[in-house]
């Protein structure tokens, strides 16, 4: 099973993946070639098994008690959490969950 899924909605390419159960499904616009200038999309390496995205990803989510924030690099299917995470994951590596 893959770590991510690809979909195209109304001509826009998206990558879907789960960091973990708490954060839930992420759906980000992606490009696989050309420049991302002016696109508001992430550059994607094209892999569903070991996706890599650029630039880093920062998102807020509800952790069951309050809104919090995670900030990470997605490299080869691993979320490398950055030091400014507010959710307790700073410095951790989190492997993406398998997608159905």
């Amino acid at each position: 099973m893959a770590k991510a899924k690809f979909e195209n909605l109304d001509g826009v390419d998206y990558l879907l993946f789960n960091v973990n159960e708490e954060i839930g499904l992420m759906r980000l616009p992606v490009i696989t070639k050309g420049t991302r200038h002016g696109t508001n999309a992430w550059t994607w390496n094209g892999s569903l098994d070991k996706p890599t995205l650029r630039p880093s990803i920062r998102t807020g989510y509800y952790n069951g008690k309050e809104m919090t924030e995670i900030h990470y690099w997605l490299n080869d299917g691993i979320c490398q959490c950055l030091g400014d995470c507010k959710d307790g994951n700073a410095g951790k590596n989190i492997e993406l969950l398998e997608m159905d």
Side-chain angles (χ1 to χ4, degrees):
M1 299 206 0
K3 301 279 183 172
K5 286 186 179 182
F6 172 81
E7 68 180 12
N8 182 286
L9 298 173
D10 297 324
V12 178
D13 293 335
Y14 292 92
L15 189 69
L16 288 75
F17 58 92
N18 274 309
V19 175
N20 61 26
E21 295 292 334
E22 192 172 49
I23 295 168
L25 182 68
M26 298 286 301
R27 176 183 279 126
L28 299 177
V30 296
I31 60 171
T32 56
K33 61 186 174 195
T35 178
R36 52 179 291 277
H37 180 74
T39 65
N40 291 324
W42 279 258
T43 302
W44 171 44
N45 68 347
S47 174
L48 296 175
D49 296 320
K50 293 185 176 189
T52 295
L53 296 177
R54 290 291 179 272
S56 64
I57 300 157
R58 181 189 308 267
T59 190
Y61 67 96
Y62 184 71
N63 67 5
K65 297 180 283 186
E66 61 189 359
M67 286 300 294
T68 190
E69 186 177 82
I70 189 169
H71 186 200
Y72 57 92
W73 288 107
L74 181 58
N75 290 316
D76 294 324
I78 305 290
C79 297
Q80 297 171 329
C81 299
L82 299 169
D84 62 348
C85 287
K86 297 177 181 165
D87 65 350
N89 283 313
K92 294 181 182 176
N93 288 335
I94 303 170
E95 189 169 345
L96 294 180
L97 299 177
E98 297 283 338
M99 298 286 291
D100 291 333

